[in-house]
Structure formats: structure tokens, C-alpha cells
Amino acid sequence: MSNIPKGLQTYFLKETESEERPVIRREGANIVIPILIREETKPDESGEKTIFRFFEVETAYTGQDISDYDKCCIQSYAAIRKYLYGEPAVQGEMRDDDIWEAHRLAVRALFPKYRGEVQPRQDRFMQIVREFWTAVKTAAGSVGKTRADLPAYFNDTNMLEWAAANNVPAEVIATTEETMIRVSCNLGANHRNWSELFTYEE
């Protein structure tokens, strides 16, 4: 079972629902691999029933071990990634919306080429996230405030305006401004967007 990870887009995929737990199955020369399987309950005439929601990836059978789900996914990683990446037009949409890189890295992390494969670009992004929230908490804490005292969403300009309006010390504002500039530049360099900082809010 797995949840949809942060950053992964599924709006363009066809979802399947079943009352039976899905398994990998052979269909002629192909296999069908259920992925992103989620167990849910929904009301019915007798009260509640369990259902499974998932997506299906069909790919050629080339000797994958269909009795071992994780092993089969690794053996079929290229087909699964291709399915989740979507058609070029879908990829273009995600690039236009600045969500492609988060989606791509989520796919790669969820379906690695081999066990233990690392995603250094995601590690770099998480460093940016930590730097951002450390600066925000430091600025708020300098005047006895917390994240709860800030707007639900703000950009770098909003943050500095809030700091000035709340009498954050000048030296803290200067440091915060330097951090915000660096965060903004690093987001662009890593093809990520500002709103993602709030998706990964610490």
C-alpha cells in the first residue's frame, strides 16, 4: 500500500477501483502491474466496504518475477516511469506550471532502477526547504512570534514586509533578506517553485 507522494501528479492517469486487492497479472505476452495502491473504505448498503484504488501499468513480459512485487517493479522501472511521466503534451503542461521537476523526482524516488538508488536533486531541494523555514522561524522568533503568526502563504517580499511591520531587528531582517534571495535563486536553478516550500513545510 502507498499514498500518493508529495509532488506526484496523477490528474492525467486513469484510476482503477476494485473490491479485491490487486496483484500483478499476466495477459498474454504482457503483464499488468498495479501501482500506487490505496486501501479505502466507502459507505454501502450494509455500512462500509473496503475498496482498493490504483493505476495499472501494462508492459511486455520479459521474465520479470511477478511473484515478488517490489522486485518486479524494479525490473519494470522504465515502463512504470514512462507511464507516470505521461505524454509529451502532459509533460509540457507540468513544465509550464513549474511542477514537472517535483513530479519527475517523485516518480524516480518511488520507482528506482535499483534498491537504494538516491535522488541527489531532491536532497538539494530539501536543503533549500530547510534553509527557508529556518530563516522564517528565526525571524519570527526574534520578536517572540511563531509560524502561526505568519500568513498561510507568503513570498519573499511579503516575509520582509511582515518582518519590518513586526519590528524584527534590522540585522535579522538583513540576514533573512539574504536567505530569501538565495532560496529564490536556488529554486529557479533546481527547476522548483516557491509554493512547493509550503508543501514541505516543517
Side-chain angles (χ1 to χ4, degrees):
M1 298 298 147
S2 62
N3 294 318
I4 305 296
K6 292 178 181 178
L8 185 68
Q9 304 298 317
T10 60
Y11 68 90
F12 59 93
L13 302 173
K14 180 183 177 182
E15 188 171 54
T16 299
E17 181 179 307
S18 171
E19 293 183 14
E20 301 294 328
R21 185 184 300 271
V23 295
I24 300 170
R25 66 183 188 273
R26 284 282 302 272
E27 288 192 353
N30 294 336
I31 58 173
V32 179
I33 307 171
I35 62 169
L36 299 172
I37 304 166
R38 286 143 290 139
E39 183 176 344
E40 300 177 2
T41 57
K42 63 189 256 185
D44 71 352
E45 297 174 354
S46 60
E48 286 188 338
K49 68 176 179 180
T50 298
I51 62 164
F52 298 91
R53 302 172 70 88
F54 53 95
F55 304 96
E56 294 188 319
V57 180
E58 185 171 349
T59 188
Y61 177 65
T62 57
Q64 299 97 316
D65 185 353
I66 63 174
S67 67
D68 185 324
Y69 182 84
D70 291 338
K71 184 177 180 180
C72 185
C73 284
I74 289 174
Q75 291 171 329
S76 306
Y77 84 91
I80 297 173
R81 285 184 180 182
K82 181 179 180 181
Y83 170 81
L84 288 172
Y85 287 156
E87 297 296 325
V90 172
Q91 295 179 23
E93 279 185 7
M94 287 192 275
R95 287 190 177 92
D96 288 344
D97 294 337
D98 292 324
I99 58 175
W100 165 250
E101 186 67 2
H103 175 73
R104 186 183 73 84
L105 291 178
V107 170
R108 290 171 63 92
L110 198 59
F111 295 100
K113 290 182 182 180
Y114 52 86
R115 287 185 175 86
E117 182 185 16
V118 297
Q119 303 296 330
R121 292 178 70 97
Q122 182 66 10
D123 291 342
R124 285 197 294 274
F125 172 68
M126 293 310 299
Q127 289 173 0
I128 297 169
V129 170
R130 287 190 290 272
E131 182 177 26
F132 172 75
W133 286 111
T134 296
V136 168
K137 291 173 182 177
T138 298
S142 70
V143 288
K145 295 184 181 294
T146 68
R147 168 70 180 98
D149 296 302
L150 287 157
Y153 177 85
F154 52 87
N155 59 27
D156 48 351
T157 301
N158 301 148
M159 179 63 207
L160 295 171
E161 289 173 346
W162 181 92
N166 284 271
N167 301 311
V168 171
E171 63 274 14
V172 177
I173 290 179
T175 301
T176 303
E177 183 173 19
E178 289 176 6
T179 301
M180 294 297 154
I181 291 170
R182 187 165 56 250
V183 164
S184 184
C185 290
N186 285 337
L187 285 172
N190 285 273
H191 308 291
R192 307 303 286 260
N193 67 68
W194 191 270
S195 63
E196 286 184 84
L197 297 171
F198 294 83
T199 302
Y200 291 87
E201 184 171 343
E202 297 181 340

